[in-house]
Amino acid sequence: MPATVIVGAQWGDEGKGKIVDLLAQDSDLVCRYQGGPNAGHTIVVGEETYKIRAVPSGIIRGKPSAIGAGCVIDPAVLFAELDDLEARGHRTAGLVFVSGNAHLIMPWHVALDGARERKLGNLQIGTTRRGIGPAYADKATRIGIRVQDVLDPKILRAKIELAIAEKNVWLERVYGLEPFDPAEVVATYEGYAVRLRPYVADTSLLVDRALREGKRVLFEGAQGTLLDLDHGTYPFVTSSSPIAAGAAVSFGIGPNRIDEVLGVSKAYVTRVGEGPFPSEIEGPAQERVRELGGEFGTVTGRERRCGWLDLVALRYAVRLNGMTSLALTKLDVLSTFAELPVCVRYRLPDGSETEEFPAHQSDFHHCRPVFETLQGWEEELEGPALPEAALGYVRFVGGALGVPVTLVGTGQARDAVLALS
Ligand code: IMP
Ligand code: MG
């Protein structure tokens, strides 16, 4: 697996951090390709819990870790994370590489994200309010500020003044908020420059060289397939490209350099924020899954909505990502259920049924899940082999998707992962 992408196959929070942590052991470089501090990858190492938001999870294994051009960076969050890692004994200097082309989250992005959500009221997207959408929007409008801009005080000042002139009008007139003082923002970001400078690197060249030398490169996605800006459940999506192809775009390598795509899915589904969710559990079982799975957001602490496994959505994720294998995480969360519904088809408003993800939003918004009920195993997942019924559940998923399930998560601990052959 010279170049492998690890991609979220659902709406994020699939447990990618843990899988990256596992595969990072045999990797030479770990690359985060999109998103920003909206992500929160949780890794449990013995008594220590790491909640990583900006730096690729590979850093916990002491692996060189790169942040690609497709990411957005909130310097304050990044530095706090680097400080925390250093304080816990993880070296970051010379190991963390940040693309000069990555965009910075500015204070007005955070202010605008929150203000827009408040204004949308019950039409809100339910964002993490970390400034993600506004930062990517400015990147696309070409008034964004990039990592490399902070390295040149003249460029930095000019870009901040240009952006702020426009943002302050929005903040004051549209949302009735306080304007930002350009001089203050310039001073803050000039301060960041000192810390950022040693980490800035040409991450495209870095990856290209690593691959030419036959090194193993792991690309780590954040969020998930159904939150993809182009192919997800728009507008209830994030503003970047979590799908596997996003790795090539972000790191500036050809798509033919990617060898393997490992999708990560929970044994059930969760979703944070608003938007349609066909297999969402009705009744008290939802609460039960949430409690058993600890389904509360890493970044925002919000309750995650919980659903039964949705094979229609997963089949879509197989297609969009070119998935070559699947990791099924948190299987242990289902251990106390006698019966496990799995969504195998959607029933569309016209009464027809389909195994394929609807291309039209109205079909998706109004479809109903068709469940097949599998037998539970009702025992804990301990030891090197899965109980018969648990294996049956895993095989059912792999068979329905036509993708081998190669890893199964059986508990919180770092080593609670079974490799299946
Ligand atoms: P944003 O990425 O903060 O703009 O939020 C857009 C949508 O993506 C919202 O529904 C968020 O709940 C969701 N989202 C963003 N990041 C994550 C994540 O790491 N896990 C799960 N959902 C996320
Ligand atoms: Mg998360």
Side-chain angles (χ1 to χ4, degrees), residues 11-14 16 36-41 113 117 125-134 136 222-224 227 235-240 270-275 298-300 302 304:
W11 276 286
D13 305 313
E14 299 92 350
K16 295 177 293 294
N38 47 348
H41 291 163
D113 197 357
E117 285 282 278
I125 290 163
T127 74
T128 60
R129 303 193 178 193
R130 296 302 188 273
I132 306 296
Y136 278 112
Q223 288 83 47
L227 291 172
F236 305 102
V237 295
T238 192
S239 300
S240 61
T270 61
R271 166 159 218 185
V272 204
E274 309 306 316
T298 312
V299 175
T300 58
R302 285 180 291 175
R304 295 179 182 145

Side-chain angles (χ1 to χ4, degrees), residues 4-250:
T4 301
V5 179
I6 297 187
V7 61
Q10 300 169 315
W11 276 286
D13 305 313
E14 299 92 350
K16 295 177 293 294
K18 181 171 167 170
I19 302 297
V20 173
D21 176 59
L22 180 75
L23 298 193
Q25 291 178 88
D26 299 317
S27 302
D28 303 299
L29 178 62
V30 184
C31 300
R32 165 82 181 268
Y33 61 85
Q34 42 68 232
N38 47 348
H41 291 163
T42 307
I43 298 161
V44 180
V45 183
E47 301 288 289
E48 300 257 344
T49 298
Y50 294 89
K51 293 195 189 284
I52 307 227
R53 294 167 62 191
V55 182
S57 318
I59 196 69
I60 308 286
R61 297 279 185 186
K63 299 294 175 160
S65 298
I67 300 175
C71 296
V72 287
I73 295 170
D74 186 327
V77 174
L78 175 66
F79 299 148
E81 192 166 306
L82 292 172
D83 287 342
D84 180 54
L85 285 164
E86 294 273 353
R88 299 214 234 171
H90 298 276
R91 182 165 71 88
T92 63
L95 277 185
V96 174
F97 304 92
V98 180
S99 168
N101 291 353
H103 279 248
L104 293 175
I105 296 177
M106 305 300 291
W108 46 87
H109 294 143
V110 180
L112 288 168
D113 197 357
R116 180 175 294 154
E117 285 282 278
R118 280 192 295 278
K119 192 155 193 135
L120 282 170
N122 54 18
L123 291 179
Q124 70 172 358
I125 290 163
T127 74
T128 60
R129 303 193 178 193
R130 296 302 188 273
I132 306 296
Y136 278 112
D138 280 358
K139 169 181 174 174
T141 359
R142 290 155 296 179
I143 57 159
I145 295 167
R146 300 191 292 173
V147 165
Q148 59 180 288
D149 294 329
V150 302
L151 304 182
D152 182 321
K154 259 171 73 185
I155 293 179
L156 179 66
R157 181 175 300 270
K159 293 212 168 183
I160 287 181
E161 280 169 0
L162 186 77
I164 240 175
E166 186 179 302
K167 297 301 164 185
N168 276 349
V169 177
W170 273 92
L171 285 166
E172 290 188 273
R173 305 251 183 96
V174 179
Y175 295 116
L177 295 175
E178 287 296 305
F180 285 97
D181 172 10
E184 255 176 54
V185 179
V186 168
T188 307
Y189 278 69
E190 276 177 349
Y192 291 155
V194 179
R195 275 213 76 181
L196 211 44
R197 189 181 295 275
Y199 293 108
V200 181
D202 182 340
T203 51
S204 165
L205 193 59
L206 186 77
V207 170
D208 182 62
R209 286 200 173 137
L211 290 174
R212 279 176 199 279
E213 289 166 13
K215 294 198 170 141
R216 288 155 303 180
V217 180
L218 205 57
F219 295 95
E220 171 183 13
Q223 288 83 47
T225 301
L226 294 168
L227 291 172
D228 185 87
L229 180 60
D230 292 287
H231 301 284
T233 51
Y234 193 90
F236 305 102
V237 295
T238 192
S239 300
S240 61
S241 301
I243 58 172
V249 176
S250 176

